[in-house]
Amino acid sequence: MENIETRLLYKDWDSITKELHHKGFVIVRDVLNKKECDALINEYDAEQTYRKTISMARYRFGQGEYKYFQYPLPELITTMREKVYAEIAPVANQWMDELKMERKFPATHEEMKKLCREHGQEKPTVLILKYGIGGFNTLHQDLYGEIYFPMQMVFMLDQAEMDYTGGEFVITEQIPRAQSKANVLKPNRGDMVIFTTNFRPVKGTKGYYRVNMKHGVSPLHSGNRHSLGVIFHDGLS
């Protein structure tokens, strides 16, 4: 069985990055296998793995629960974070150029973490989320501090329409001087969604303009839904 590094190596990154640049999100199929998904779910109650647990209802974030991993991260997650970052950092820098923003992102994830540390952002922001019937996540952005990478990932750990119904992944776009657009995605177990953290550039008649984006999860109708959120920047707390 191929390991995660090999699976990522043989993905069509040219097509993936083109779609990511064009739409602000892309679904990459079959990144994690069932064994890896089940292992992440089964580790949900392992206390030593996580640094913080958040009840979403308490903070009016939605209905459900999530846990932040602590360093050192599991090897699987570290590998995905490093390998995917290296592939998509050029897209992030292209976005900065198109929007005439001064920020430039380093080529490697290790350098990205160093940049975060220089701004006091040292806490890992990788998290695992769990929803039951009626669970949902309000539209939001995962920034965590002054330094943030403009893209992030989520991995589906359960199979839609088999382990749960409802619970679609929703991405909204706030187009200037227009109504918001909603993108509703239904990735399968093991799929990776790469999507914008905050905004993306869109080409208009007078050059590129900024479209703000948020993401969330629609209410579950049945079952349980787990997902792994992988954010490339670290946080203040």
Side-chain angles (χ1 to χ4, degrees):
M1 183 181 294
E2 293 180 338
N3 62 26
I4 186 62
E5 189 169 351
T6 302
R7 265 173 272 152
L8 287 171
L9 178 66
Y10 286 103
K11 296 300 180 184
D12 184 354
W13 286 104
D14 185 55
S15 295
I16 290 167
T17 53
K18 283 181 180 177
E19 186 171 349
L20 179 60
H21 179 266
H22 178 65
K23 293 167 49 178
F25 62 88
V26 59
I27 299 176
V28 184
R29 302 293 183 185
D30 301 320
V31 174
L32 296 179
N33 59 40
K34 185 178 185 301
K35 182 178 179 180
E36 290 161 340
C37 292
D38 288 346
L40 286 163
I41 292 172
N42 291 337
E43 285 289 307
Y44 188 82
D45 294 320
E47 294 181 6
Q48 64 272 28
T49 303
Y50 308 102
R51 66 178 179 86
K52 195 174 188 179
T53 299
I54 300 293
S55 169
M56 296 168 68
R58 178 181 176 186
Y59 297 97
R60 303 183 71 181
F61 293 161
Q63 187 70 45
E65 184 180 82
Y66 58 87
K67 297 183 178 184
Y68 287 108
F69 285 80
Q70 63 182 358
Y71 280 131
L73 299 174
E75 183 179 353
L76 174 72
I77 296 174
T78 297
T79 299
M80 294 191 296
R81 220 178 175 204
E82 292 177 350
K83 299 302 180 183
V84 175
Y85 177 92
E87 298 288 353
I88 64 177
V91 180
N93 285 325
Q94 183 179 354
W95 285 7
M96 298 300 104
D97 289 340
E98 290 169 347
L99 292 172
K100 296 181 171 54
M101 300 178 70
E102 293 184 1
R103 173 70 66 193
K104 296 295 179 184
F105 297 98
T108 69
H109 189 250
E110 190 59 42
E111 292 173 298
M112 182 67 200
K113 288 195 297 182
K114 182 175 182 290
L115 180 63
C116 288
R117 289 195 298 270
E118 290 170 354
H119 288 77
Q121 297 174 215
E122 300 182 348
K123 300 291 187 180
T125 50
V126 177
L127 67 164
I128 186 167
L129 305 98
K130 179 180 180 180
Y131 306 91
I133 297 173
F136 69 98
N137 197 342
T138 56
L139 293 170
H140 65 283
Q141 298 171 329
D142 297 307
L143 302 181
Y144 295 106
E146 179 186 352
I147 301 300
Y148 60 87
F149 191 70
M151 302 160 197
Q152 62 193 82
M153 306 183 286
V154 66
F155 297 82
M156 299 301 130
L157 305 181
D158 298 294
Q159 180 56 49
E161 307 303 329
M162 181 184 301
D163 299 314
Y164 66 93
T165 59
E168 294 87 359
F169 188 66
V170 180
I171 302 174
T172 63
E173 303 177 55
Q174 180 56 62
I175 301 170
R177 297 178 297 282
Q179 299 294 328
S180 294
K181 173 187 176 183
N183 303 280
V184 180
L185 311 182
K186 294 182 70 173
N188 293 316
R189 178 178 55 216
D191 289 351
M192 169 176 69
V193 184
I194 309 173
F195 59 99
T196 181
T197 301
N198 188 7
F199 57 82
R200 71 182 181 96
V202 173
K203 192 170 185 179
T205 56
K206 298 180 180 179
Y208 286 92
Y209 61 93
R210 174 171 165 161
V211 170
N212 289 321
M213 301 180 74
K214 294 183 177 182
H215 63 278
V217 175
S218 69
L220 261 70
H221 306 314
S222 66
N224 291 287
R225 179 190 188 276
H226 299 79
S227 58
L228 175 71
V230 179
I231 294 130
F232 295 103
H233 47 274
D234 288 340
L236 294 168
S237 62

